[in-house]
Amino acid sequence: MRLSHYFIPTLKETPAEAQIASHRLMLRAGMIHQETSGIYTWLPMGLRVLEKIEKIICEEQDRIGCHRVLMPTIQPAELWKKSGRYEAYGKEMLRLTDRHEREMLYGPTNEEVITDVIAQFVKSYRALPLVLYQIQWKFRDEIRPRFGVMRGREFLMKDGYSFDLNVEAATETYKKIYESYLRTFRRMGLTAIPVRADTGAIGGNLSHEFQIVAPTGESTIFYDGKFDSLSAEEMTFDVASNLYAAADEMHKEDDCPISGSDLKTARGIEIGHIFYFGTKYSEPLGAKVTTPDGKSIPLEMGSYGIGVSRLVGAIIEASHDDKGIIWPEAVAPYKVGLINLKSGDAKADTLAEGLYTQMQNHGHEVLYDDRDERAGTKFADMDLIGLPWQVVVGNKTIESGTVEVKNRKTGDKQEIALDQVLKLLK
Ligand code: P5A
């Protein structure tokens, strides 16, 4: 992509309304635009990151045999009346009436809708286990939307729903998804701590939140200090589930197995939340199957959420410096930022264009700064946008055929021959 023809409305000034780094950087790097409180337009750079995150999530869901679906955002109130949540959900639910005076709502979550689908189509234990998921916009009329996409009113969620014949099978499914979530976050460069959590409006008695330790997080968590020394690779279900970690409301000092300085407390960003709630929805919505011995019983269910749009903010909170964002390669909007310091100079333009084409032909995603701007502006913008690699075409390229390659994360710079660039990127 050529920057001269792109749409990245970067800001030089720090927007006054943004209180945390990720919100400031997303606005400054031209990733989002606020329409009204907690509701955003995703601009090209923001959307690319959102799509990278979605792709990783889908790959990991598919790997464990989950099936993707897409449910509507607008739901009939009737289903929620059956489950008993229509009144209980309160003011966070955006309620609508259609032209026939039918009560509708903009879905804050989809347990009712998916259970209704399953009730229609799944009649026998032979179809189980079954996990369906989607990536779809949700609306929750939060009292205090804040920190940009971290706590929005309209936000993108991956929500999955599991259906099993009995408690043992449902517990196995829960474990499998727990493990897969750790892997999913690891691929995005994040080490999430799974903490025992309250089940709130979703229900049930087994639940974990996946928390990223960050001073700007809105949750308070308590955990075994051993978590701090685990690398992302060591954070598996077996290791994590044997260590103590609890969300604020679940932490009881009296029966906490960890004491003294081994117990850590920190702020966390909740990037995922999973629930096991048995027959809470299958029973009232009539999702039943016949067992091998011919009985009819309600399905055992769980639901599994990832804050897709929140993750964009969370990754930035975990990875930035005073100059801007530092994208982990797996979710970076582009891999390489190509800077032409001498745009307009025929020789420099030819060399830069050639490199641009060549890198793209080798499958690299390149953002090419071909603008007629000062060097300082180009460097500052590229650091702000935070692509993993910067390749600089300048005087030395014209004189001796070398380019400067900078790693955004380490800051390391090296001067290499033009024909070595592809090798380095590989
Ligand atoms: C699980 C999937 C559920 O809704 N039902 C379907 C269950 N869980 S949850 O914890 O309430 O939400 C799942 C994840 O969505 C993110 N999230 C938000 N992101 C941005 N803005 C919000 N206002 C918001 N609310 C929830 C969180 O990452 C949460 O873990």
Side-chain angles (χ1 to χ4, degrees):
M1 181 57 62
R2 286 165 202 276
L3 209 41
S4 61
H5 290 80
Y6 205 22
F7 185 60
I8 309 183
T10 55
L11 307 174
K12 290 222 168 50
E13 309 301 323
T14 299
E17 75 272 23
Q19 300 166 36
I20 63 171
S22 58
H23 189 195
R24 272 197 298 274
L25 289 169
M26 286 183 76
L27 293 169
R28 286 195 49 216
M31 295 175 66
I32 51 169
H33 175 257
Q34 181 178 313
E35 300 314 328
T36 183
S37 173
I39 299 182
Y40 293 86
T41 291
W42 288 78
L43 303 175
M45 286 289 266
L47 183 58
R48 283 184 78 94
V49 178
L50 206 55
E51 286 176 342
K52 294 264 160 98
I53 292 173
E54 289 185 41
K55 186 159 177 279
I56 293 176
I57 292 173
C58 292
E59 283 171 10
E60 292 305 324
Q61 289 289 294
D62 295 350
R63 184 199 294 279
I64 59 166
C66 307
H67 307 294
R68 188 170 180 186
V69 296
L70 187 58
M71 289 177 262
T73 53
I74 306 292
Q75 310 179 6
E78 190 197 328
L79 290 176
W80 288 66
K81 289 184 175 165
K82 284 191 193 164
S83 73
R85 283 209 292 183
Y86 192 57
E87 299 309 325
Y89 216 94
K91 288 200 164 175
E92 265 191 26
M93 181 186 278
L94 181 64
R95 295 155 204 265
L96 322 156
T97 339
D98 71 9
R99 62 163 66 190
H100 306 293
E101 297 298 317
R102 288 192 195 105
E103 292 172 281
M104 317 285 274
L105 57 102
Y106 194 118
T109 176
N110 285 50
E111 280 80 5
E112 284 80 356
V113 173
I114 197 78
T115 309
D116 182 54
V117 173
I118 294 299
Q120 310 269 323
F121 294 121
V122 176
K123 305 288 184 192
S124 156
Y125 74 93
R126 285 191 195 85
L128 307 177
L130 188 60
V131 185
L132 301 178
Y133 76 97
Q134 67 168 351
I135 295 178
Q136 177 63 295
W137 294 91
K138 305 286 186 285
F139 194 93
R140 294 182 184 173
D141 206 351
E142 302 274 353
I143 308 182
R144 283 223 300 156
R146 57 177 189 160
F147 298 162
V149 300
M150 289 283 205
R151 179 165 300 278
R153 292 198 295 165
E154 192 179 35
F155 61 96
L156 192 59
M157 190 199 287
K158 172 265 164 178
D159 43 325
Y161 305 88
S162 67
F163 303 88
D164 281 286
L165 185 61
N166 52 42
V167 182
E168 296 74 61
T171 312
E172 275 309 305
T173 300
Y174 185 92
K175 274 190 206 167
K176 193 159 88 176
I177 296 174
Y178 177 133
E179 178 105 55
S180 134
Y181 270 29
L182 289 175
R183 188 183 161 104
T184 303
F185 298 136
R186 184 156 68 228
R187 281 186 61 186
M188 300 172 192
L190 297 171
T191 311
I193 299 183
V195 306
R196 283 301 298 262
D198 192 15
T199 54
I202 308 292
N205 50 27
L206 174 61
S207 174
H208 287 88
E209 289 168 1
F210 292 80
Q211 294 274 356
I212 298 298
V213 172
T216 49
E218 292 189 277
S219 317
T220 301
I221 59 171
F222 293 84
Y223 62 94
D224 189 326
K226 290 198 186 80
F227 270 113
D228 284 338
S229 56
L230 290 180
S231 70
E233 284 63 39
E234 290 166 322
M235 187 82 78
T236 60
F237 175 81
D238 291 332
V239 173
S241 60
N242 281 316
L243 294 176
Y244 179 81
D248 198 14
E249 66 281 358
M250 297 298 279
H251 177 70
K252 303 279 172 292
E253 224 161 90
D254 293 342
D255 39 56
C256 173
I258 310 290
S259 58
S261 60
D262 291 341
L263 181 68
K264 293 277 168 67
T265 176
R267 310 286 293 170
I269 302 171
E270 180 199 319
I271 54 172
H273 197 165
I274 60 177
F275 304 81
Y276 165 62
F277 42 69
T279 60
K280 175 173 172 180
Y281 303 93
S282 54
E283 189 116 45
L285 289 157
K288 290 189 201 156
V289 287
T290 49
T291 63
D293 46 11
K295 276 191 263 161
S296 176
I297 60 168
L299 286 159
E300 289 289 328
M301 288 178 59
S303 74
Y304 311 85
I306 295 179
V308 181
S309 46
R310 175 178 290 183
L311 266 170
V312 180
I315 293 168
I316 298 174
E317 283 300 316
S319 186
H320 69 272
D321 62 14
D322 54 356
K323 296 195 185 70
I325 303 168
I326 304 175
W327 288 115
E329 204 154 313
V331 296
Y334 293 87
K335 180 172 175 176
V336 185
L338 174 63
I339 300 175
N340 184 354
L341 289 182
K342 309 205 51 132
S343 297
D345 175 301
K347 210 161 171 202
D349 286 350
T350 308
L351 290 167
E353 294 282 335
L355 192 54
Y356 177 52
T357 309
Q358 211 187 12
M359 287 192 286
Q360 293 188 107
N361 287 347
H362 280 76
H364 301 298
E365 294 172 316
V366 186
L367 184 64
Y368 173 26
D369 193 348
D370 60 338
R371 294 173 304 171
D372 183 17
E373 286 284 354
R374 290 182 313 115
T377 304
K378 292 191 174 189
F379 286 130
D381 279 350
M382 209 49 99
D383 277 348
L384 171 64
I385 291 167
L387 308 179
W389 297 97
Q390 296 176 9
V391 176
V392 184
V393 169
N395 274 329
K396 283 193 186 154
T397 322
I398 301 173
E399 288 156 15
S400 54
T402 62
V403 289
E404 184 181 89
V405 179
K406 178 172 125 176
N407 181 300
R408 175 69 179 87
K409 187 173 174 186
T410 61
D412 291 345
K413 291 177 183 171
Q414 49 191 125
E415 192 74 29
I416 59 170
L418 268 170
D419 60 7
Q420 295 300 302
V421 174
L422 288 173
K423 211 162 119 196
L424 185 82
L425 292 177
K426 226 170 57 197

